[in-house]
Amino acid sequence: MSVKTITAEELKEQEIYARKVRSVTHTYFEKPVAYVHTYGCQQNVSDGEKIKGMLEKMGYGFTDEIEKAALILFNTCAVRENAVDRVFGNVGALKRLKKKNPDIVIAICGCMVQQEETARKIKNTFPFVDIIFGTHVLHKFPELLCRHLFEGGRILEIPDCDGVIAENISVKRESDFKASVPIMYGCNNFCTYCVVPLVRGRERSRNAEDIISEVRELVDNGYKDILLLGQNVNSYGKGTEVDFPELLSRLDRLEGEFKIEFMTSHPRDCTERLIDVIADSEKICHHLHLPVQCGSDRILKLMNRHYDKAHYLGLVDYARKRIPGLNLTTDIIVGFPGETREDFDQTLELMRNVCFDSAFTFIYSPRLGTKAAEMEDPVSAEEKGKWFRELLEVQGECGSKSYQKYVGRTVKVLCDGKGRTSEEYFTGKSRENIIVDFNGAEKDIGTFVNVRITEAKAWALIGEKV
Ligand code: SAH
Ligand code: SF4
């Protein structure tokens, strides 16, 4: 598939639209404010920052109080049914606001909208929604808003186009020292349960030079925590001179005091070379989020995951050997169509064997257009709920045990604010990406601090500054 990079001319066109919107927003007595709510994963959060960047250029300020907003935007997630239901509920509640003030602009974008059926449903169910646009036209938001403000009417923009990379969209970052940097978009894996490839399109990697110069600029501007994003970062630049391990080592060599995180890794594409790069690096987090999804080879095959349990366990062994103190986390789906009690027992066994530091666990949710949604699914929701609770119990035991290994060690923590432990405590994340609460001070926020760990809780480590 050919990748289309949005040209400088196309972006210039968007700037003209942005200026036109600005000419209207600036006639307000007070600067209009926007309420932007993002649902779902880090990729969506990153898109949300671009949306806010574009809105800022169009003259908008921001508010957390939806009642005060002149523009309300929901950036949606489609990965599971409950995320979709939440959006439908929250959009429905906007009717009252629009009735009170018909001038409010209501926009919906993101993964949910990229599915034609859902977009039409939103359009038909909620006639008060003004702008609906898909993930591939994010960069065209100024044009869509401009058209709505100047010409009126409703706008539905969900082109089937794919493979778009838009560089240089302005970004309004939520933090002064943490930044996420998408390195690739889309996914080619087609795990049979997953809607992501259908709403985010085919896999496409950004140019390494663009990524490296973005990270260099962020570090020069004081950013200390760089999160590299992609649905399957391990297949970044596959077959080219700069693949993912190479990209990581080039970023690791950049000057400055900062740390590099990345997500998500796919066990099929996670190599020993990648683990070696992490182990030998100075700045890459000792955290591997490696979703296994299930412990049964039969179900892994039905999920189209392209690895088996033995391959996964081999990777875990190698990673734990090469990176002592590694924080290993995973995702698990319970109740995939056709999963039996025997299959599920294998997941429990794998959980006990590996003893993950933490795990995100989900009950399977059928998604429109995916292969799994067509499969026989005889196990009742009640039974799946029971399995799910068993899984949580097993993970709970592992999670609280695993943090014990950090007690007595000194870890480097990037402080990011007030802690939960007590009024005097501050919080941050270690190089293993684990939350650490410690006796810090206001001036520590945004800096690295050495902390000796004195206690392990289920959700965090507690320590004293050294
Ligand atoms: N690209 C990432 C993230 C995908 S979505 C990855 O491959 O890991 C994040 C997690 O949501 C997945 O790892 C999976 O565990 C879960 N998930 C995805 N689709 C799901 C579905 N239909 N039902 C339940 N969980 C799902
Ligand atoms: Fe979905 Fe699988 Fe792609 Fe992850 S790798 S986004 S789970 S299809």
Side-chain angles (χ1 to χ4, degrees):
M1 186 208 62
S2 63
V3 173
K4 181 177 182 295
T5 303
I6 303 298
T7 60
E9 284 75 51
E10 283 173 281
L11 281 181
K12 208 160 253 156
E13 214 177 292
Q14 292 304 318
E15 273 183 25
I16 294 168
Y17 285 116
R19 271 206 296 278
K20 208 165 159 195
V21 174
R22 204 182 168 91
S23 69
V24 189
T25 54
H26 272 215
T27 59
Y28 276 67
F29 183 63
E30 264 183 292
K31 190 174 180 170
V33 285
Y35 174 92
V36 176
H37 188 82
T38 291
Y39 300 80
C41 69
Q42 291 292 335
Q43 180 59 58
N44 258 21
V45 173
S46 168
D47 284 353
E49 291 187 338
K50 287 182 181 159
I51 288 163
K52 281 189 159 181
M54 290 186 270
L55 279 169
E56 198 166 48
K57 278 210 155 170
M58 292 189 274
Y60 285 85
F62 299 97
T63 179
D64 291 331
E65 293 171 73
I66 200 163
E67 311 267 341
K68 292 192 177 153
L71 182 146
I72 298 169
L73 182 142
F74 287 164
N75 179 22
T76 63
C77 167
V79 83
R80 279 171 294 275
E81 192 63 37
N82 52 6
V84 171
D85 289 346
R86 214 169 324 136
V87 170
F88 270 104
N90 293 349
V91 176
L94 299 180
K95 185 175 175 184
R96 184 184 54 87
L97 289 178
K98 185 79 169 183
K99 202 164 170 196
K100 218 165 84 187
N101 178 4
D103 288 338
I104 298 176
V105 179
I106 298 180
I108 317 266
C109 66
C111 291
M112 247 175 89
V113 170
Q114 193 59 44
Q115 285 201 298
E116 184 95 25
E117 294 87 331
T118 320
R120 298 229 167 267
K121 191 171 161 202
I122 293 175
K123 189 168 181 241
N124 297 336
T125 321
F126 306 116
F128 52 85
V129 174
D130 303 299
I131 306 172
I132 301 171
F133 61 109
T135 55
H136 301 306
V137 284
L138 189 77
H139 62 283
K140 280 174 111 184
F141 180 41
E143 177 181 341
L144 306 179
L145 182 55
C146 187
R147 262 170 47 202
H148 171 72
L149 290 176
F150 283 86
E151 295 160 26
R154 304 178 75 195
I155 293 174
L156 180 71
E157 185 94 357
I158 316 153
D160 202 11
C161 70
D162 189 359
V164 170
I165 290 187
E167 293 291 346
N168 302 320
I169 298 183
S170 36
V171 177
K172 181 174 165 51
R173 299 205 179 267
E174 299 290 343
S175 161
D176 294 335
F177 52 90
K178 284 201 245 184
S180 52
V181 176
I183 63 168
M184 62 184 303
Y185 301 95
C187 183
N188 284 354
N189 281 331
F190 290 97
C191 301
T192 52
Y193 51 80
C194 186
V195 79
V196 170
L198 309 181
V199 294
R200 287 280 173 181
R202 297 295 66 73
E203 188 176 293
R204 51 218 187 265
S205 296
R206 288 177 66 197
N207 284 329
E209 302 85 75
D210 288 335
I211 298 167
I212 294 168
S213 58
E214 183 175 342
V215 173
R216 189 181 294 124
E217 200 180 314
L218 285 165
V219 172
D220 288 348
N221 285 318
Y223 282 84
K224 299 210 160 43
D225 186 340
I226 307 294
L227 171 61
L228 307 177
L229 285 180
Q231 296 298 342
N232 175 11
V233 284
N234 303 150
S235 74
Y236 171 85
K238 223 178 183 176
T240 68
E241 189 199 342
V242 187
D243 60 5
F244 188 56
E246 178 59 26
L247 177 71
L248 277 182
S249 31
R250 290 189 187 188
L251 292 172
D252 187 56
R253 288 199 293 272
L254 291 179
E255 260 177 50
E257 192 184 28
F258 65 101
K259 64 182 178 116
I260 305 164
E261 305 172 43
F262 58 87
M263 67 191 309
T264 300
S265 289
H266 190 297
R268 181 197 53 192
D269 301 309
C270 175
T271 57
E272 293 193 349
R273 193 172 135 242
L274 170 69
I275 293 166
D276 291 340
V277 167
I278 302 171
D280 299 335
S281 74
E282 199 184 309
K283 300 171 178 124
I284 304 168
C285 277
H286 286 177
H287 173 204
L288 195 56
H289 183 63
L290 200 58
V292 64
Q293 311 296 2
C294 174
S296 150
D297 285 345
R298 192 180 76 84
I299 298 296
L300 284 173
K301 204 164 205 151
L302 287 176
M303 286 178 164
N304 196 32
R305 290 289 287 178
H306 297 283
Y307 56 84
D308 59 13
K309 186 167 73 179
H311 173 78
Y312 189 86
L313 293 176
L315 279 175
V316 168
D317 264 359
Y318 188 77
R320 284 192 163 152
K321 234 176 263 155
R322 285 293 277 119
I323 313 169
L326 174 74
N327 176 20
L328 182 69
T329 60
T330 201
D331 291 347
I332 305 276
I333 297 177
V334 173
F336 183 82
E339 182 173 338
T340 61
R341 177 70 217 194
E342 289 71 41
D343 293 311
F344 176 65
D345 280 339
Q346 292 183 49
T347 300
L348 286 183
E349 188 193 310
L350 180 130
M351 298 289 280
R352 286 199 188 94
N353 284 346
V354 175
C355 211
F356 292 101
D357 295 275
S358 77
F360 297 92
T361 47
F362 310 102
I363 294 184
Y364 166 74
S365 166
R367 311 309 303 129
L368 195 72
T370 61
K371 270 200 174 155
E374 310 292 318
M375 296 178 187
E376 291 281 327
D377 190 3
V379 175
S380 69
E382 203 187 354
E383 185 68 6
K384 289 184 184 185
K386 209 175 117 225
W387 295 358
F388 184 72
R389 287 188 294 278
E390 278 183 58
L391 189 74
L392 287 186
E393 215 167 284
V394 170
Q395 180 49 36
E397 288 163 22
C398 289
S400 50
K401 259 195 286 179
S402 80
Y403 280 4
Q404 288 296 337
K405 66 179 176 252
Y406 298 103
V407 175
R409 286 194 204 176
T410 296
V411 297
K412 197 165 158 184
V413 177
L414 177 61
C415 178
D416 59 19
K418 279 272 186 194
R420 278 174 33 183
T421 313
S422 84
E423 265 299 292
E424 299 95 68
Y425 271 62
F426 282 72
T427 195
K429 279 196 177 163
S430 68
R431 188 174 174 192
E432 294 76 19
N433 248 347
I434 296 174
I435 297 173
V436 180
D437 270 19
F438 62 99
N439 58 337
E442 202 73 43
K443 68 170 176 35
D444 293 331
I445 296 176
T447 69
F448 286 100
V449 181
N450 285 321
V451 177
R452 200 174 61 79
I453 304 303
T454 54
E455 197 187 333
K457 301 229 187 226
W459 51 274
L461 300 171
I462 313 294
E464 301 286 328
K465 232 164 105 169
V466 291

